[in-house]
Amino acid sequence: MKKIIAFAGSNSKNSINKQLVTYASSLLIQTEVVILDLNDFDLPLFGVDLENDDGIPPNAHKFLNLIKESDGIMLSLAEHNGAYSTAFKNLFDWMSRIESKTFFGKPMLLMATSPGGRGGASVLGIAQNRFPFHNANIIKVFSLPFFKDNFSGGKVVESSLNAELKEAVDVFENVLVKASATEV
């Protein structure tokens, strides 16, 4: 059975992106899911001087190893002022100092949600342009606008958006299953 990691690019305890990625990962049928929380990977603010003085923190290595050991990634990015959250960017910066190809070619379902109508479109655009340079294999992208209107009770409640998410999850999982079949 394939194993993926699922996480939100947020350190908010009430992250709407964690709620989305948790729901999306629950739609997987043939895949084991490990849900990660950035709060469990506390890191100092990245700086070259800090790296030179103290080295790379263990939590950056730990998170990068979880990516490396997984078969795929589900990531829902929080959008702060049109870009990554500081917590995610800091983790990303530290990990890239260990391995510039941070995502190891793992299949990725990339998502975002926000309270507004663009559903994290700006941060998704940044990630779609940047992540391939770090060996991301983005299989599908999903955006959920107007979170409070479209998500309730732990799931996407607007039927067409839920169908779109389910289709994205199915395509992602099919890539994982096909990769498993070719490894045998």
Side-chain angles (χ1 to χ4, degrees):
M1 179 178 278
K2 292 296 188 171
K3 180 177 95 175
I4 67 143
I5 57 171
F7 63 100
S10 171
N11 63 347
S12 169
K13 292 177 185 173
N14 300 310
S15 169
I16 61 177
N17 281 281
K18 186 168 185 185
Q19 292 175 58
L20 176 60
V21 79
T22 300
Y23 171 62
S25 67
S26 77
L27 300 173
L28 293 165
I29 299 168
Q30 305 174 61
T31 305
E32 179 186 342
V33 178
V34 177
I35 297 174
L36 303 176
D37 187 323
L38 294 190
N39 291 303
D40 296 332
F41 300 89
D42 191 39
L43 292 165
L45 188 60
F46 174 77
V48 173
D49 292 338
L50 181 62
E51 179 185 4
N52 289 337
D53 291 346
D54 298 335
I56 296 172
N59 276 337
H61 288 279
K62 184 177 176 184
F63 202 96
L64 188 66
N65 284 332
L66 289 168
I67 293 173
K68 189 182 290 186
E69 294 165 2
S70 74
D71 296 306
I73 304 162
M74 269 193 185
L75 170 56
S76 189
L77 290 169
E79 184 175 282
H80 292 188
N81 296 315
Y84 309 122
S85 72
T86 301
F88 175 78
K89 180 68 166 77
N90 191 49
L91 172 63
F92 189 42
D93 287 345
W94 277 115
M95 289 190 308
S96 72
R97 299 299 284 188
I98 303 165
E99 170 64 54
S100 66
K101 304 298 183 188
T102 311
F103 298 113
F104 302 100
K106 307 291 179 167
M108 178 185 287
L109 175 54
L110 181 62
M111 300 176 285
T113 188
S114 71
R118 297 192 68 235
S122 293
V123 74
L124 285 173
I126 293 169
Q128 285 177 278
N129 287 328
R130 183 77 235 157
F131 285 6
F133 291 106
H134 297 274
N135 204 19
N137 178 12
I138 301 170
I139 302 302
K140 291 294 276 182
V141 177
F142 175 77
S143 169
L144 181 67
F146 300 114
F147 180 82
K148 289 184 181 187
D149 295 334
N150 293 318
F151 195 95
S152 181
K155 62 183 180 180
V156 176
V157 293
E158 200 285 321
S159 61
S160 65
L161 288 168
N162 196 47
E164 182 183 337
L165 176 59
K166 285 182 176 182
E167 187 269 335
V169 169
D170 287 347
V171 170
F172 173 71
E173 189 163 40
N174 285 336
V175 168
L176 292 172
V177 170
K178 285 180 184 173
S180 178
T182 60
E183 292 170 4
V184 176

